[in-house]
Amino acid sequence: MVLTALAVVRMRSLFAVVMLSGIFTLLSALLFVTMDAVDVAFTEAAVGAGITTVLMLGTLALTSRHERPTARSPLIPLFVVFVTGAALIYGTMDMPNFGDPTAPAQTHVGADYIARTPEEIDLPNMVTAVLASYRGYDTLGEVAVVFTAGIGVLLLISGLRRRRRKDEDNEGSA
Amino acid sequence: MRHHLILRVVTKLLVGTIILFGLYVQFHGDFSPGGGFQAGVIIAVAFILYGVVFSLDQVQRVFPPWLVHKLVALGLLLYAGTGLFSFMRGFRYLDYAAFDPHHPSHGQHYGILLVEAGVGITVTGVMVAIYYAFAARTPVISDEEW
Amino acid sequence: MTSEFFFGHLNYWLFIILMMTGLYIVVAKGNLVKKIVGLNIFQTSVFMFYISIGNVTGGTAPIFPLDMKIDPDVIYSNPLPHVLILTAIVVGVATTALGLALIVRIREEFGTIEEDALLELEHEIARKVSDQHGEAMGGRHSGD
């Protein structure tokens, strides 16, 4: 996966970049499966490899297919990236080991949801139970965000076409 | 891509299957991996595939844009309405016990089903609407160029 | 630094490296589509970070048997990060679409999607605007 990401950095052909990002998403979906997150892997594979790639290709068709090399030196971004990375890695030093059952993340609400789902919700899929019931407000908010983003795209792309056509009509009649 | 015979035949076979699979994911999401978000995306992918292989006009004849835009809002309203319903029955907002006060867990089943349906409808609508918006502007590219 | 510590934290470090690759693309590359791809890489590595926090050694996917006969010995992974990331992915694709729509509009308005060229155009417009205003101001002053 790191290799794919690095290849994205080097590539100039945007078509190849988009394809590589699709591969990247599929690999990450596999990683989610190995980390027991089947629902997440499912979504990632459907969304990342399907919708995102189609949308990016659509954008490429509307814009250009090659990247122009930039004249700026990469030193300052590299410096920023290394400092941020070092700070984040320093931050992980205090974190519990990977898969530690006594980690703080496992002992509070997570364990509570697992223990209470059979009695209160009585559904086998805990992810659905938490998503729709215990965290119903969150999901309502997320749906509202998706809704707003959809409206935004429609306003940006399809609404304007109508206005332009009207403008042209006005010009034609004037 | 109208002249690719294999693509067209395979697409015709696949679109129905994909929608069926999406519905399975939607309604079986309580028992196995899946749910409204995934189902919404999968159903949208079926329409997008149809649109890519055939043409935008053809897919819009099956699934017209005004219907898509209505669906986007309908899903969110269904979700919020579920919450309001339990509110009206004297429970807390989005407390699904309102659907069956004697068996709270049955009420949860109904509530989750409705909410997931709302999620699925909105996600399908938004994804298809975004695709329509992009595809409507795409200049026609000959196959050799890709 | 024991080997247990090293291998227990290696996954976090790998995700941070991926995250920084995405950040580098966003900061250093001028092409707007590439910036979006970099943003997606960044986003995905944050997702992986979350999921890896929710993982439990010897655990399994958080789905009970269909007949709800629950074996108390089975360890399940934490479902909470899964829920958060599940919704975040779909929201992520919606926001990506919004960004791409902006790019399409920028391209239509300015004819380019390179950051440098856009900045130049912006300077030019700013210069023109200040020229006009300068003339207007100058005219009023000369009238005095």
Side-chain angles (χ1 to χ4, degrees), chain A residues 128 131, chain B residues 22 25-27 29-30 34-43 112 115-124, chain C residues 86 90:
Chain A
T128 305
L131 179 102
Chain B
V25 169
Q26 170 86 52
F27 294 111
D30 307 352
F37 283 101
Q38 293 94 331
V41 171
I42 291 171
I43 294 174
I112 290 176
V115 162
E116 291 276 1
V119 172
I121 291 171
T122 299
V123 172
T124 311
Chain C
L86 182 67
V90 179

mmCIF file of all heavy atoms in Angstrom, chain A residues 128 131, chain B residues 22 25-27 29-30 34-43 112 115-124, chain C residues 86 90:
data_model
loop_
_atom_site.group_PDB
_atom_site.id
_atom_site.type_symbol
_atom_site.label_atom_id
_atom_site.label_comp_id
_atom_site.label_asym_id
_atom_site.label_seq_id
_atom_site.Cartn_x
_atom_site.Cartn_y
_atom_site.Cartn_z
ATOM 1 N N THR A 128 -24.860 -2.804 12.927
ATOM 2 C CA THR A 128 -26.147 -2.199 12.579
ATOM 3 C C THR A 128 -26.853 -1.694 13.831
ATOM 4 O O THR A 128 -27.436 -0.604 13.828
ATOM 5 C CB THR A 128 -27.031 -3.227 11.863
ATOM 6 O OG1 THR A 128 -26.323 -3.738 10.759
ATOM 7 C CG2 THR A 128 -28.312 -2.605 11.392
ATOM 8 N N LEU A 131 -25.203 1.419 14.965
ATOM 9 C CA LEU A 131 -25.368 2.469 13.958
ATOM 10 C C LEU A 131 -26.755 3.087 14.025
ATOM 11 O O LEU A 131 -26.913 4.298 14.060
ATOM 12 C CB LEU A 131 -25.122 1.876 12.573
ATOM 13 C CG LEU A 131 -25.273 2.813 11.384
ATOM 14 C CD1 LEU A 131 -23.911 3.222 10.910
ATOM 15 C CD2 LEU A 131 -26.005 2.147 10.262
ATOM 16 N N GLY B 22 -28.209 -5.536 -3.849
ATOM 17 C CA GLY B 22 -28.319 -4.350 -3.017
ATOM 18 C C GLY B 22 -29.497 -4.447 -2.064
ATOM 19 O O GLY B 22 -29.381 -4.133 -0.883
ATOM 20 N N VAL B 25 -28.643 -6.796 0.694
ATOM 21 C CA VAL B 25 -27.773 -6.142 1.674
ATOM 22 C C VAL B 25 -28.589 -5.207 2.556
ATOM 23 O O VAL B 25 -28.385 -5.115 3.756
ATOM 24 C CB VAL B 25 -26.640 -5.392 0.951
ATOM 25 C CG1 VAL B 25 -25.895 -4.495 1.914
ATOM 26 C CG2 VAL B 25 -25.682 -6.365 0.326
ATOM 27 N N GLN B 26 -29.556 -4.519 1.928
ATOM 28 C CA GLN B 26 -30.372 -3.576 2.681
ATOM 29 C C GLN B 26 -31.178 -4.275 3.773
ATOM 30 O O GLN B 26 -31.145 -3.898 4.936
ATOM 31 C CB GLN B 26 -31.320 -2.855 1.726
ATOM 32 C CG GLN B 26 -32.378 -2.022 2.397
ATOM 33 C CD GLN B 26 -31.883 -0.635 2.720
ATOM 34 O OE1 GLN B 26 -31.364 0.052 1.866
ATOM 35 N NE2 GLN B 26 -32.031 -0.237 3.952
ATOM 36 N N PHE B 27 -31.889 -5.322 3.396
ATOM 37 C CA PHE B 27 -32.838 -5.901 4.342
ATOM 38 C C PHE B 27 -32.251 -7.033 5.169
ATOM 39 O O PHE B 27 -32.831 -7.419 6.169
ATOM 40 C CB PHE B 27 -34.089 -6.369 3.601
ATOM 41 C CG PHE B 27 -34.841 -5.216 3.023
ATOM 42 C CD1 PHE B 27 -34.903 -5.005 1.665
ATOM 43 C CD2 PHE B 27 -35.451 -4.302 3.860
ATOM 44 C CE1 PHE B 27 -35.571 -3.925 1.149
ATOM 45 C CE2 PHE B 27 -36.125 -3.217 3.353
ATOM 46 C CZ PHE B 27 -36.176 -3.028 1.998
ATOM 47 N N GLY B 29 -29.248 -6.648 6.336
ATOM 48 C CA GLY B 29 -28.164 -5.976 7.040
ATOM 49 C C GLY B 29 -28.233 -6.142 8.542
ATOM 50 O O GLY B 29 -27.243 -5.945 9.230
ATOM 51 N N ASP B 30 -29.417 -6.512 9.065
ATOM 52 C CA ASP B 30 -29.518 -6.710 10.504
ATOM 53 C C ASP B 30 -28.831 -7.997 10.944
ATOM 54 O O ASP B 30 -28.476 -8.150 12.102
ATOM 55 C CB ASP B 30 -30.994 -6.792 10.934
ATOM 56 C CG ASP B 30 -31.787 -5.613 10.441
ATOM 57 O OD1 ASP B 30 -31.153 -4.687 9.914
ATOM 58 O OD2 ASP B 30 -33.009 -5.628 10.580
ATOM 59 N N GLY B 34 -23.624 -5.413 6.306
ATOM 60 C CA GLY B 34 -24.422 -4.646 5.346
ATOM 61 C C GLY B 34 -25.315 -3.674 6.068
ATOM 62 O O GLY B 34 -25.303 -3.592 7.286
ATOM 63 N N GLY B 35 -26.078 -2.936 5.310
ATOM 64 C CA GLY B 35 -26.957 -1.946 5.890
ATOM 65 C C GLY B 35 -27.278 -0.895 4.861
ATOM 66 O O GLY B 35 -26.990 -1.063 3.680
ATOM 67 N N GLY B 36 -27.896 0.175 5.329
ATOM 68 C CA GLY B 36 -28.369 1.194 4.406
ATOM 69 C C GLY B 36 -27.279 1.831 3.578
ATOM 70 O O GLY B 36 -27.440 2.032 2.382
ATOM 71 N N PHE B 37 -26.151 2.147 4.189
ATOM 72 C CA PHE B 37 -25.098 2.845 3.457
ATOM 73 C C PHE B 37 -24.579 1.989 2.310
ATOM 74 O O PHE B 37 -24.494 2.447 1.167
ATOM 75 C CB PHE B 37 -23.947 3.195 4.399
ATOM 76 C CG PHE B 37 -24.229 4.365 5.290
ATOM 77 C CD1 PHE B 37 -24.600 4.178 6.599
ATOM 78 C CD2 PHE B 37 -24.132 5.653 4.808
ATOM 79 C CE1 PHE B 37 -24.871 5.245 7.423
ATOM 80 C CE2 PHE B 37 -24.395 6.733 5.621
ATOM 81 C CZ PHE B 37 -24.762 6.533 6.927
ATOM 82 N N GLN B 38 -24.254 0.722 2.620
ATOM 83 C CA GLN B 38 -23.705 -0.145 1.567
ATOM 84 C C GLN B 38 -24.744 -0.395 0.487
ATOM 85 O O GLN B 38 -24.445 -0.344 -0.706
ATOM 86 C CB GLN B 38 -23.263 -1.485 2.157
ATOM 87 C CG GLN B 38 -22.096 -1.402 3.095
ATOM 88 C CD GLN B 38 -22.543 -1.278 4.534
ATOM 89 O OE1 GLN B 38 -23.612 -0.740 4.825
ATOM 90 N NE2 GLN B 38 -21.741 -1.759 5.450
ATOM 91 N N ALA B 39 -25.989 -0.680 0.930
ATOM 92 C CA ALA B 39 -27.031 -0.990 -0.049
ATOM 93 C C ALA B 39 -27.266 0.189 -0.971
ATOM 94 O O ALA B 39 -27.395 0.023 -2.191
ATOM 95 C CB ALA B 39 -28.315 -1.362 0.672
ATOM 96 N N GLY B 40 -27.281 1.395 -0.392
ATOM 97 C CA GLY B 40 -27.484 2.579 -1.208
ATOM 98 C C GLY B 40 -26.425 2.700 -2.279
ATOM 99 O O GLY B 40 -26.722 2.943 -3.455
ATOM 100 N N VAL B 41 -25.177 2.483 -1.872
ATOM 101 C CA VAL B 41 -24.083 2.594 -2.837
ATOM 102 C C VAL B 41 -24.206 1.527 -3.919
ATOM 103 O O VAL B 41 -24.036 1.807 -5.113
ATOM 104 C CB VAL B 41 -22.736 2.492 -2.102
ATOM 105 C CG1 VAL B 41 -21.609 2.391 -3.100
ATOM 106 C CG2 VAL B 41 -22.525 3.697 -1.223
ATOM 107 N N ILE B 42 -24.561 0.294 -3.516
ATOM 108 C CA ILE B 42 -24.604 -0.793 -4.497
ATOM 109 C C ILE B 42 -25.707 -0.545 -5.519
ATOM 110 O O ILE B 42 -25.507 -0.718 -6.729
ATOM 111 C CB ILE B 42 -24.784 -2.141 -3.776
ATOM 112 C CG1 ILE B 42 -23.515 -2.471 -3.010
ATOM 113 C CG2 ILE B 42 -25.096 -3.243 -4.761
ATOM 114 C CD1 ILE B 42 -23.640 -3.644 -2.102
ATOM 115 N N ILE B 43 -26.874 -0.119 -5.039
ATOM 116 C CA ILE B 43 -27.963 0.132 -5.987
ATOM 117 C C ILE B 43 -27.599 1.274 -6.920
ATOM 118 O O ILE B 43 -27.863 1.225 -8.129
ATOM 119 C CB ILE B 43 -29.270 0.424 -5.213
ATOM 120 C CG1 ILE B 43 -29.698 -0.829 -4.447
ATOM 121 C CG2 ILE B 43 -30.370 0.848 -6.153
ATOM 122 C CD1 ILE B 43 -30.867 -0.623 -3.544
ATOM 123 N N ILE B 112 -35.095 0.097 13.357
ATOM 124 C CA ILE B 112 -33.844 -0.024 12.608
ATOM 125 C C ILE B 112 -34.143 -0.239 11.134
ATOM 126 O O ILE B 112 -33.497 0.342 10.257
ATOM 127 C CB ILE B 112 -32.984 -1.157 13.196
ATOM 128 C CG1 ILE B 112 -32.452 -0.732 14.564
ATOM 129 C CG2 ILE B 112 -31.844 -1.511 12.271
ATOM 130 C CD1 ILE B 112 -31.673 -1.778 15.275
ATOM 131 N N VAL B 115 -35.179 3.138 9.664
ATOM 132 C CA VAL B 115 -34.072 4.084 9.602
ATOM 133 C C VAL B 115 -33.086 3.685 8.517
ATOM 134 O O VAL B 115 -32.616 4.510 7.728
ATOM 135 C CB VAL B 115 -33.409 4.150 10.980
ATOM 136 C CG1 VAL B 115 -32.038 4.741 10.868
ATOM 137 C CG2 VAL B 115 -34.243 4.979 11.920
ATOM 138 N N GLU B 116 -32.820 2.378 8.442
ATOM 139 C CA GLU B 116 -31.882 1.912 7.410
ATOM 140 C C GLU B 116 -32.457 2.154 6.026
ATOM 141 O O GLU B 116 -31.719 2.484 5.098
ATOM 142 C CB GLU B 116 -31.584 0.417 7.591
ATOM 143 C CG GLU B 116 -30.775 0.086 8.828
ATOM 144 C CD GLU B 116 -29.286 0.248 8.600
ATOM 145 O OE1 GLU B 116 -28.901 0.645 7.483
ATOM 146 O OE2 GLU B 116 -28.518 -0.013 9.536
ATOM 147 N N ALA B 117 -33.777 2.002 5.906
ATOM 148 C CA ALA B 117 -34.393 2.281 4.603
ATOM 149 C C ALA B 117 -34.199 3.749 4.248
ATOM 150 O O ALA B 117 -33.866 4.084 3.103
ATOM 151 C CB ALA B 117 -35.873 1.931 4.634
ATOM 152 N N GLY B 118 -34.368 4.615 5.243
ATOM 153 C CA GLY B 118 -34.147 6.037 4.990
ATOM 154 C C GLY B 118 -32.730 6.312 4.533
ATOM 155 O O GLY B 118 -32.493 7.026 3.548
ATOM 156 N N VAL B 119 -31.761 5.705 5.249
ATOM 157 C CA VAL B 119 -30.352 5.890 4.880
ATOM 158 C C VAL B 119 -30.111 5.413 3.458
ATOM 159 O O VAL B 119 -29.506 6.117 2.632
ATOM 160 C CB VAL B 119 -29.447 5.122 5.866
ATOM 161 C CG1 VAL B 119 -28.010 5.151 5.377
ATOM 162 C CG2 VAL B 119 -29.526 5.704 7.246
ATOM 163 N N GLY B 120 -30.633 4.203 3.158
ATOM 164 C CA GLY B 120 -30.393 3.628 1.834
ATOM 165 C C GLY B 120 -30.972 4.513 0.737
ATOM 166 O O GLY B 120 -30.309 4.754 -0.282
ATOM 167 N N ILE B 121 -32.191 5.021 0.949
ATOM 168 C CA ILE B 121 -32.824 5.846 -0.093
ATOM 169 C C ILE B 121 -32.016 7.111 -0.330
ATOM 170 O O ILE B 121 -31.726 7.482 -1.471
ATOM 171 C CB ILE B 121 -34.275 6.173 0.319
ATOM 172 C CG1 ILE B 121 -35.130 4.914 0.268
ATOM 173 C CG2 ILE B 121 -34.855 7.229 -0.590
ATOM 174 C CD1 ILE B 121 -36.503 5.098 0.847
ATOM 175 N N THR B 122 -31.611 7.769 0.764
ATOM 176 C CA THR B 122 -30.852 9.009 0.576
ATOM 177 C C THR B 122 -29.530 8.745 -0.126
ATOM 178 O O THR B 122 -29.152 9.472 -1.053
ATOM 179 C CB THR B 122 -30.584 9.676 1.934
ATOM 180 O OG1 THR B 122 -31.827 9.980 2.521
ATOM 181 C CG2 THR B 122 -29.786 10.941 1.763
ATOM 182 N N VAL B 123 -28.814 7.698 0.314
ATOM 183 C CA VAL B 123 -27.492 7.452 -0.280
ATOM 184 C C VAL B 123 -27.639 7.108 -1.757
ATOM 185 O O VAL B 123 -26.901 7.645 -2.601
ATOM 186 C CB VAL B 123 -26.759 6.341 0.493
ATOM 187 C CG1 VAL B 123 -25.482 5.959 -0.226
ATOM 188 C CG2 VAL B 123 -26.422 6.817 1.883
ATOM 189 N N THR B 124 -28.618 6.247 -2.102
ATOM 190 C CA THR B 124 -28.840 5.944 -3.518
ATOM 191 C C THR B 124 -29.102 7.230 -4.292
ATOM 192 O O THR B 124 -28.477 7.487 -5.332
ATOM 193 C CB THR B 124 -30.065 5.031 -3.698
ATOM 194 O OG1 THR B 124 -29.955 3.951 -2.798
ATOM 195 C CG2 THR B 124 -30.166 4.527 -5.111
ATOM 196 N N LEU C 86 -17.670 3.583 9.076
ATOM 197 C CA LEU C 86 -18.651 3.231 8.039
ATOM 198 C C LEU C 86 -19.348 4.477 7.517
ATOM 199 O O LEU C 86 -19.407 4.727 6.309
ATOM 200 C CB LEU C 86 -19.655 2.284 8.684
ATOM 201 C CG LEU C 86 -20.754 1.710 7.843
ATOM 202 C CD1 LEU C 86 -20.124 0.800 6.837
ATOM 203 C CD2 LEU C 86 -21.689 0.936 8.722
ATOM 204 N N VAL C 90 -18.840 7.007 3.629
ATOM 205 C CA VAL C 90 -19.871 7.491 2.708
ATOM 206 C C VAL C 90 -19.886 9.012 2.686
ATOM 207 O O VAL C 90 -20.000 9.645 1.628
ATOM 208 C CB VAL C 90 -21.243 6.908 3.099
ATOM 209 C CG1 VAL C 90 -22.314 7.422 2.187
ATOM 210 C CG2 VAL C 90 -21.196 5.412 3.026
#
